[in-house]
Amino acid sequence: MMDLILRGATLPDGRTGQDIACRDGKIVEVAQGIAAEAAQEIDATGRLVTPPFVDSHFHMDATLTFGFPRVNESGTLLEGIQLWSELKPHLKIDEVKKRAHEICRWAIAQGTLAIRTHVDVCDPDLIAVEALLEVREEIKPYLDLQLVAFPQDGYLRYPRCDELLNRALDKGVDVVGGIPHFERTMADGAASVRALCEIATERGLMVDMHCDETDDPMSRHVETLAFETQRLGLAGRVTGSHLTSMHSMDNYYVSKLLPLIAEAGLHAVANPNINITIQGRHDTYPKRRGLTRVKELLEHGVNVALGQDCVMDPWYSLGHYEMLDVASMAVHVGQMTGIHQMKQMFAAVTENGAKALNLEGYGLEVGCNADLVVLQAGDPVEAIRLKPARLFVVRRGRVIAETPPVVSTVRLENETTPVDFTRLTKS
Ligand code: FE2
């Protein structure tokens, strides 16, 4: 007897008519026409069933604060950082937790069951760290939350930041962060990358740095990050986030850089909604898009994942935790409209994110965690096109969120027709 069987699913790799049987929180069989019975069955005929969405880059301490104490008028990264520093003294543990739990519920409703969030450690009281460590434990049955110790105001630039960052790691923050382009000089930026990678090595932790989030083509800290990753034997455990300066770099230099990133085994995370909004703000026309070279990184064999980065915070006033909106933005801004490329962007918000976060038990293989999302769409490309309802969100074999199919009824003269924008409406 199984706990749950999904019937007739289409999988992201294109297999159709698949049953997925779950028992004791794990996937125990994936095949056509599984004979076993289950306590609960879900008819997923023709529906895309995917492992959960993964948000590889977020700021949960700042989310849902939009408008407090004021709005970012210039829309720039630097005004956002200034605004956040005005907001920080007002943070209270209970209030941060309340917002964090609310955004986790949004994420769960959207089938996003793993989030890597940066948490600002440039606060003598580490309020956000304390709050999100509690949230990480409280939400664990439903969602995997990874915390990155993020020195928002600069590891070398902010007073006593080394002490604060280490204290956050001592308390149990999972990953070492950084922001080399925000240090006072290029040399300090490189020194911060080196120091932070060494801390991660000593502690056996992963690294995820905001790296070169600027339009300055000379911001080349990713080169140092790749070098340190290789020097310290951290391949597969280090992520360069944003990497927007690569958009503006000289092509000749990039032709050297891409193989170095690939060779080092660095993961790349782009945040298309935020990059397109924040970068190029000093340009007149033409305006740079600021998205890193996603297509070219993938062509060089680099694992590229995508992040939401912001929802209603000092940097971004929109968002409702829709990772398919993020994938769709990457498709558009990165001009990745080929079928294979669109599938790659679906992977960038699912399996590639799991790889960057080093998640265990992720996937649709037998033995993986029974964490699944049933979409009101037939395949990954349709999912990106429609950003469809998450009909069922399953965690460890149990349904934790449900949305009824979204169907319009069109009444013309002689006929009444359901429309759900799938190729063949079946709802
Ligand atoms: Fe970020």
Side-chain angles (χ1 to χ4, degrees):
M1 184 76 168
M2 300 293 166
D3 299 323
L4 174 71
I5 297 181
L6 285 76
R7 300 280 187 193
T10 298
L11 308 186
D13 65 10
R15 278 179 286 166
T16 57
Q18 300 293 307
D19 294 352
I20 304 170
C22 309
R23 192 175 53 212
D24 300 330
K26 300 283 181 193
I27 295 173
V28 293
E29 193 177 358
V30 181
Q32 291 189 333
I34 293 175
E37 290 184 1
Q40 185 180 6
E41 294 211 1
I42 291 174
D43 179 9
T45 309
R47 307 287 198 197
L48 176 63
V49 176
T50 175
F53 296 105
V54 177
D55 179 8
S56 299
H57 187 112
F58 194 59
H59 294 264
M60 199 168 279
D61 47 4
T63 195
L64 301 178
T65 61
F66 174 65
F68 182 76
R70 61 185 177 83
V71 171
N72 181 342
E73 292 298 340
S74 68
T76 59
L77 173 68
L78 295 182
E79 186 177 340
I81 293 175
Q82 167 60 29
L83 214 167
W84 172 237
S85 75
E86 292 168 26
L87 202 159
K88 253 195 282 189
H90 299 285
L91 294 182
K92 304 249 181 323
I93 289 182
D94 285 356
E95 175 267 340
V96 176
K97 283 186 66 177
K98 200 171 157 206
R99 286 189 284 103
H101 275 294
E102 178 69 0
I103 203 76
C104 285
R105 284 190 288 271
W106 292 17
I108 290 164
Q110 298 278 31
T112 301
L113 301 187
I115 300 173
R116 175 179 278 180
T117 179
H118 297 252
V119 50
D120 190 355
V121 297
C122 296
D123 163 18
D125 299 321
L126 294 178
I127 296 288
V129 169
E130 298 285 358
L132 292 188
L133 280 168
E134 288 181 23
V135 173
R136 184 184 68 186
E137 297 313 306
E138 289 160 3
I139 205 71
K140 206 175 239 169
Y142 316 103
L143 184 153
D144 297 307
L145 193 57
Q146 255 182 26
L147 306 184
V148 185
F150 175 46
Q152 171 76 77
D153 298 321
Y155 177 67
L156 298 174
R157 192 166 162 180
Y158 187 78
R160 295 173 41 234
C161 193
D162 55 340
E163 188 190 317
L164 291 167
L165 182 126
N166 275 294
R167 211 198 306 158
L169 297 174
D170 288 342
K171 285 176 185 290
V173 169
D174 309 274
V175 182
V176 179
I179 186 163
H181 56 277
F182 196 71
E183 303 293 352
R184 287 193 174 89
T185 63
M186 286 291 179
D188 267 9
S192 77
V193 172
R194 187 185 184 97
L196 290 160
C197 285
E198 285 176 352
I199 290 173
T201 307
E202 278 161 27
R203 290 177 176 263
L205 299 177
M206 290 183 280
V207 176
D208 187 339
M209 285 192 197
H210 284 63
C211 196
D212 305 318
E213 189 185 2
T214 157
D215 294 318
D216 175 7
M218 298 311 291
S219 189
R220 295 177 170 187
H221 297 297
V222 64
E223 181 185 85
T224 309
L225 187 61
F227 177 81
E228 293 299 334
T229 300
Q230 207 161 30
R231 180 177 75 86
L232 296 165
L234 293 172
R237 301 178 59 75
V238 178
T239 297
S241 278
H242 288 291
L243 306 176
T244 55
S245 72
M246 276 177 70
H247 187 94
S248 300
M249 281 174 183
D250 169 71
N251 284 338
Y252 184 85
Y253 173 65
V254 172
S255 74
K256 177 194 172 196
L257 179 63
L258 286 170
L260 288 176
I261 292 174
E263 183 185 50
L266 208 62
H267 303 287
V269 169
N271 301 295
N273 298 52
I274 307 309
N275 302 148
I276 189 75
T277 309
I278 283 183
Q279 303 305 315
R281 287 275 176 166
H282 296 268
D283 295 352
T284 55
Y285 289 94
K287 280 186 196 293
R288 282 169 288 182
R289 294 155 188 242
L291 184 67
T292 194
R293 303 192 188 201
V294 173
K295 202 189 299 185
E296 294 75 9
L297 283 159
L298 286 165
E299 282 165 5
H300 279 77
V302 177
N303 180 52
V304 181
L306 301 177
Q308 172 80 64
D309 201 4
C310 303
V311 171
M312 299 181 70
D313 68 9
W315 296 273
Y316 188 60
S317 51
L318 304 170
H320 64 302
Y321 232 112
E322 168 55 289
M323 289 309 296
L324 287 167
D325 187 34
V326 173
S328 174
M329 186 64 79
V331 164
H332 287 83
V333 180
Q335 297 183 335
M336 299 185 64
T337 47
I339 297 293
H340 176 62
Q341 292 167 334
M342 288 196 276
K343 287 181 182 169
Q344 283 181 318
M345 289 304 92
F346 187 85
V349 293
T350 51
E351 59 188 277
N352 295 8
K355 205 170 158 195
L357 270 59
N358 281 255
L359 295 181
E360 284 173 15
Y362 181 92
L364 290 180
E365 310 302 318
V366 170
C368 288
N369 293 327
D371 298 350
L372 304 158
V373 183
V374 183
L375 296 165
Q376 191 185 353
D379 60 54
V381 173
E382 193 165 75
I384 290 175
R385 180 171 66 85
L386 297 180
K387 300 162 199 76
R390 277 60 168 174
L391 303 175
F392 298 94
V393 178
V394 175
R395 173 79 166 180
R396 307 294 194 260
R398 196 170 72 80
V399 174
I400 59 167
E402 266 180 79
T403 308
V406 178
V407 186
S408 301
T409 302
V410 177
R411 295 191 184 88
L412 304 184
E413 205 138 312
N414 296 320
E415 56 168 25
T416 299
T417 319
V419 171
D420 72 357
F421 308 102
T422 56
R423 244 181 235 181
L424 290 168
T425 297
K426 55 178 94 48
S427 310

